[in-house]
Amino acid sequence: MKGQKLFSVLVVVVLVALSVRAGYGAENGETAVGQNVPEYFHTEGSDLVSDSTGQKKSFRGVNVTGLEYGSFFDNPYPGQLGTDYFLPRAEDFFNLKEAGANVVRVPIEWARLITGWKPTDPLPDSLDSQYLNLIDEVVRMSSSREIYVIFDLHDFLKYWEGKSAQVCVDSSALHQQLLARTWKILATRYRNEPAVLGYDIMNEPVRRETGESCGSCNWPEIAQSVVNAIRSVDTKHLIFVEGKNYSLAGNWSIENPAPFVTDTVTPPRIVYSPHIFLDANNDSRYDQADEAVEPIENWPYYVRDRFLPVFDWSRKYDVPIFLGELGVPCSLEWKAVLNHAFVSFLEPTQTSVLLWHYIDPVHCLIGPCPLNLAACPGNYQLQVLEQHPGGVYSTKSGPQVVPRESLIYGGGRLNPWDAGNGYWGDVRVNTDCVNGDCFLSVEFWKPNYDGVKFAHHYGVDTNWYVTLTFEIGFLPGGGSENFKVFTTSPNGDCRPGLNPEYPIYEERPTLQEFLPAGSAAWRKVEIPLTRIVDPSHPIINGIAFQNMGSVQKVFYLKNVMLEQLPVNRPFKSFLPLVLK
């Protein structure tokens, strides 16, 4: 009984201590609920640096979902806690700490913060206290495991007014003001909370799809207004800014040609946050045949072409990136892919990353949740995280780019290119294999200007390459002198129009210029990219062969690729590239 009484006294003391800690800075709507994470961070070039120690640090963790959950089209809105959205469990943070996580990103839902607000109302002066208490609890649970928290407004640059009722923030000045006001209030509450690493001001600003009104063309201006609002009350926390078109890393430099937000404090604390998924369609669903179990063939090309554009962009402008989402399904095969991404890109560059995602499996309301780490029996994704924890570092290098060439067509499935959607005129394109030797059969049924184009759905940065190479075969008497070769560059979502072609029609080189002499069945062609790529638009999304003759043509292609820069050559005029 004596021991039990002593234990009761200790519990009271601990609870009193926690209540005092939770009340720190609580006046004027502020709160500081964390306990064990003492540092704030700023940026120096592409590094995150501790204010207190001056040490560079990388962060590795997981998106802990639940508070943002609910189907906007099917469920009552804003929904009920425990039915439509969920508070993460304390054991989640224990499990993630055991796996080496030092940060979590917590998606939250905008309209739940301002429940009941209507467009006819004044801008709010406060946020929903019950929802804020849930966020406070997440900070407490996370910081008790010495894990930082990033708040993520998970709304795709839309505001949900009710069931199936959305407002496009990109075109609504009122909701742009509402977004800035929401973040100002939230930042006021947590400005003295060092357990919060920073604020991700909007998840995946949406791409404008055909027939839809929502987009993200005004996102740079909107993001700057949010940054200004936060900085009016909070000068200490990092601000995470995502890019246009769902913040996809593969087309990052197309949609976001240069850094577009300026911090108002010195040293700056702005971090850009792209997202990467490694499925064939680049939409995070992994719903192609067998894709939930094993990656598509030639997957190293997918990994390389998804990572390189935004890594090049970060190196070019010397600004930090922090991968806000990186997700793969649960299997040994996908574990190997994820580990390759860490070894080749994240580790050498000391890039911070958050895996997508972690939630109690019984609460996974949206589909089967194939990327849910908590539902993976083998803990494959968490095993990779444990092998590559973040932490303090002193040096870093460039990515280990493997493979060094970019495969356009290698036989069988195109990866990540697609000839099927990229031809015009009366042309037939077939994949043929003879005794295991696969090639692309291109048949032009009508002459004059018909062509075939290898089309890439977001573009390849040709800064990395010097030569287009392929093997070509002709039918006897087929001829080749009248084929021209050119490339196309993609336009971003906010730059409508036809893809620009290069060179112009009159200056396009002919295939004959590069075709080796001889009568071999297959002849290797090498075309310098300087002849077919516009130096002012180095990102290309297509390579085209155009029939200029007056007769029908048939030819065969295989091993079409962009060849890599020499190993010892620096990456253009950007920062020196260290390759191992």
Side-chain angles (χ1 to χ4, degrees):
M1 294 295 292
K2 182 176 181 181
Q4 185 177 11
K5 185 175 182 180
L6 177 59
F7 176 78
S8 299
V9 173
L10 289 174
V11 169
V12 171
V13 171
V14 170
L15 290 176
V16 170
L18 287 177
S19 65
V20 172
R21 174 59 178 148
Y24 171 74
E27 62 274 11
N28 299 321
E30 300 176 39
T31 187
V33 297
Q35 303 172 57
N36 300 313
V37 187
E39 298 179 288
Y40 295 99
F41 289 83
H42 63 272
T43 67
E44 293 181 10
S46 59
D47 296 306
L48 303 182
V49 181
S50 167
D51 285 356
S52 58
T53 67
Q55 293 179 311
K56 303 172 184 178
K57 190 170 185 177
S58 64
F59 294 86
R60 305 283 166 78
V62 174
N63 285 266
V64 178
T65 56
L67 283 181
E68 88 291 7
Y69 253 51
S71 170
F72 302 126
F73 299 100
D74 300 324
N75 294 341
Y77 196 77
Q80 297 295 320
L81 176 65
T83 301
D84 305 300
Y85 62 100
F86 309 94
L87 180 68
R89 306 165 298 180
E91 65 190 78
D92 297 337
F93 300 96
F94 174 83
N95 294 337
L96 295 178
K97 182 65 175 182
E98 289 292 299
N102 60 3
V103 65
V104 294
R105 177 174 176 256
V106 179
I108 56 179
E109 165 51 36
W110 185 6
R112 290 188 184 121
L113 284 168
I114 47 176
T115 303
W117 181 84
K118 298 179 178 60
T120 55
D121 296 336
L123 293 177
D125 293 320
S126 61
L127 303 178
D128 185 271
S129 60
Q130 293 183 351
Y131 198 57
L132 286 174
N133 287 338
L134 298 177
I135 298 173
D136 286 350
E137 183 60 24
V138 170
V139 176
R140 288 190 184 94
M141 290 188 290
S142 182
S143 64
S144 70
R145 299 297 177 184
E146 299 182 340
I147 298 175
Y148 286 92
V149 176
I150 298 171
F151 299 144
D152 152 46
L153 206 61
H154 209 77
D155 283 273
F156 308 93
L157 203 56
K158 299 178 182 180
Y159 179 80
W160 295 86
E161 294 183 320
K163 182 179 179 180
S164 301
Q166 65 182 20
V167 175
C168 302
V169 178
D170 193 63
S171 56
S172 171
L174 174 62
H175 288 82
Q176 293 169 20
Q177 297 172 21
L178 178 65
L179 180 63
R181 174 63 63 87
T182 301
W183 273 113
K184 181 178 180 179
I185 299 171
L186 199 62
T188 299
R189 182 177 182 85
Y190 293 103
R191 60 186 170 187
N192 290 322
E193 179 51 83
V196 174
L197 184 62
Y199 314 121
D200 188 340
I201 59 178
M202 180 58 66
N203 178 72
E204 297 184 356
V206 68
R207 178 181 177 85
R208 191 183 308 277
E209 304 294 346
T210 302
E212 293 188 3
S213 59
C214 288
S216 54
C217 294
N218 296 313
W219 174 236
E221 294 77 16
I222 298 170
Q224 186 65 61
S225 69
V226 175
V227 168
N228 294 343
I230 291 174
R231 287 295 178 241
S232 70
V233 296
D234 183 345
T235 60
K236 294 182 289 189
H237 282 99
L238 297 174
I239 298 178
F240 296 86
V241 181
E242 302 191 25
K244 292 185 288 186
N245 189 6
Y246 297 104
S247 205
L248 294 174
N251 62 4
W252 181 275
S253 52
I254 300 170
E255 301 289 353
N256 313 286
F260 54 88
V261 168
T262 302
D263 210 342
T264 60
V265 298
T266 302
R269 300 166 192 266
I270 298 293
V271 182
Y272 290 92
S273 186
H275 295 176
I276 295 180
F277 294 91
L278 301 174
D279 54 325
N281 289 338
N282 199 25
D283 61 9
S284 76
R285 296 175 182 174
Y286 293 86
D287 56 3
Q288 298 299 299
D290 300 321
E291 201 172 28
V293 177
E294 61 184 26
I296 192 173
E297 60 184 315
N298 298 322
W299 59 261
Y301 297 99
Y302 267 59
V303 176
R304 192 271 322 282
D305 283 346
R306 300 280 166 91
F307 276 81
L308 269 185
V310 74
F311 276 65
D312 290 348
W313 187 89
S314 172
R315 289 161 60 81
K316 177 179 180 179
Y317 294 106
D318 198 23
V319 293
I321 56 172
F322 192 124
L323 300 186
E325 295 181 15
L326 172 61
V328 299
C330 168
S331 74
L332 279 171
E333 292 82 358
W334 276 111
K335 176 184 177 182
V337 176
L338 185 61
N339 188 67
H340 172 82
F342 271 88
V343 170
S344 298
F345 289 93
L346 301 175
E347 283 295 304
T349 60
Q350 297 292 342
T351 299
S352 298
V353 62
L354 290 144
L355 301 184
W356 181 265
H357 65 124
Y358 197 99
I359 187 173
D360 184 346
V362 302
H363 294 156
C364 209
L365 301 179
I366 304 176
C369 292
L371 307 186
N372 183 12
L373 280 63
C376 181
N379 290 321
Y380 298 126
Q381 302 101 317
L382 290 180
Q383 288 174 8
V384 175
L385 183 68
E386 188 174 4
Q387 293 169 8
H388 305 286
V392 173
Y393 64 91
S394 57
T395 61
K396 62 183 182 181
S397 66
Q400 298 181 25
V401 182
V402 179
R404 297 193 59 78
E405 72 284 344
S406 182
L407 180 67
I408 300 172
Y409 175 76
R413 191 170 185 175
L414 302 183
N415 187 14
W417 299 68
D418 178 19
N421 295 327
Y423 67 88
W424 65 93
D426 195 354
V427 180
R428 188 169 68 189
V429 181
N430 299 311
T431 299
D432 299 321
C433 293
V434 178
N435 295 326
D437 185 14
C438 295
F439 51 86
L440 199 67
S441 172
V442 185
E443 304 175 41
F444 296 89
W445 294 108
K446 290 182 180 179
N448 299 326
Y449 314 117
D450 287 344
V452 59
K453 182 176 76 171
F454 294 95
H456 192 290
H457 65 279
Y458 47 76
V460 168
D461 187 349
T462 59
N463 281 310
W464 279 89
Y465 311 106
V466 291
T467 308
L468 168 66
T469 69
F470 53 88
E471 294 180 63
I472 189 166
F474 293 98
L475 288 180
S480 60
E481 65 280 355
N482 288 322
F483 281 102
K484 288 194 173 186
V485 184
F486 64 96
T487 59
T488 59
S489 298
N491 279 314
D493 182 36
C494 303
R495 292 175 291 166
L498 296 175
N499 294 336
E501 299 176 350
Y502 187 89
I504 60 174
Y505 174 78
E506 293 79 8
E507 299 177 2
R508 290 172 186 168
T510 65
L511 183 60
Q512 185 68 29
E513 294 181 46
F514 312 100
L515 190 67
S519 58
W522 290 99
R523 286 181 276 177
K524 184 175 182 180
V525 176
E526 298 182 352
I527 303 178
L529 290 180
T530 54
R531 296 291 307 276
I532 56 174
V533 174
D534 185 348
S536 64
H537 294 89
I539 296 175
I540 63 171
N541 72 339
I543 297 172
F545 298 86
Q546 186 174 14
N547 181 17
M548 305 301 298
S550 57
V551 297
Q552 297 178 2
K553 298 288 180 64
V554 178
F555 65 86
Y556 307 98
L557 291 172
K558 65 179 180 179
N559 298 328
V560 185
M561 64 182 62
L562 300 176
E563 291 195 346
Q564 181 59 276
L565 292 173
V567 174
N568 59 352
R569 178 175 172 177
F571 176 48
K572 296 287 181 145
S573 59
F574 303 163
L575 301 178
L577 178 67
V578 179
L579 295 168
K580 299 179 180 179

